[in-house]
Amino acid sequence: MAPLTASSCAAPEQTVELPEGTNTTDQAVVQGRVLADAAPVGGAFVRLLDATGEFTAEVVSSPEGVFRFYTAPGTWTVRALSRAGSGQADLAVTTGVFEVDVPVAR
């Protein structure tokens, strides 16, 4: 077995395009950008919370402010925390791809 490295334990790279072969027929993909005054915010901590407000997952936004989560259908909150401020967006998803931008402010 190969030793674990920081790169092997890291979250997948956050890009605008879905990875080839992503199945959206039985899962939801929640993706978008973190924005401050319409400018992308890279390095934001983006958290996915379930319908009860329970923490589910976290990723760091790309330099372009992009984030992505793979989820089950349901009601979710996407919360972003950054040096530019914080913000959140609530959404209900079924299967497929759902785009949501999260504006942040102080």
Side-chain angles (χ1 to χ4, degrees):
M1 177 187 288
L4 292 178
T5 64
S7 62
S8 65
C9 295
E13 182 180 350
Q14 302 296 307
T15 61
V16 175
E17 300 82 25
L18 278 176
E20 189 175 325
T22 299
N23 179 356
T24 59
T25 60
D26 60 358
Q27 68 179 344
V29 178
V30 174
Q31 64 182 20
R33 295 179 307 154
V34 178
L35 303 171
D37 297 323
V41 177
F45 294 96
V46 185
R47 296 178 178 166
L48 184 67
L49 309 174
D50 70 14
T52 67
E54 194 70 30
F55 174 86
T56 303
E58 182 176 78
V59 296
V60 175
S61 63
S62 73
E64 297 79 22
V66 175
F67 64 87
R68 177 176 298 119
F69 295 103
Y70 298 90
T71 72
T75 302
W76 298 96
T77 297
V78 179
R79 183 173 296 156
L81 308 166
S82 73
R83 291 183 184 195
S86 61
Q88 72 179 38
D90 299 312
L91 64 158
V93 301
T94 54
T95 56
V97 179
F98 295 82
E99 297 281 340
V100 58
D101 287 341
V102 181
V104 296
R106 293 200 187 274

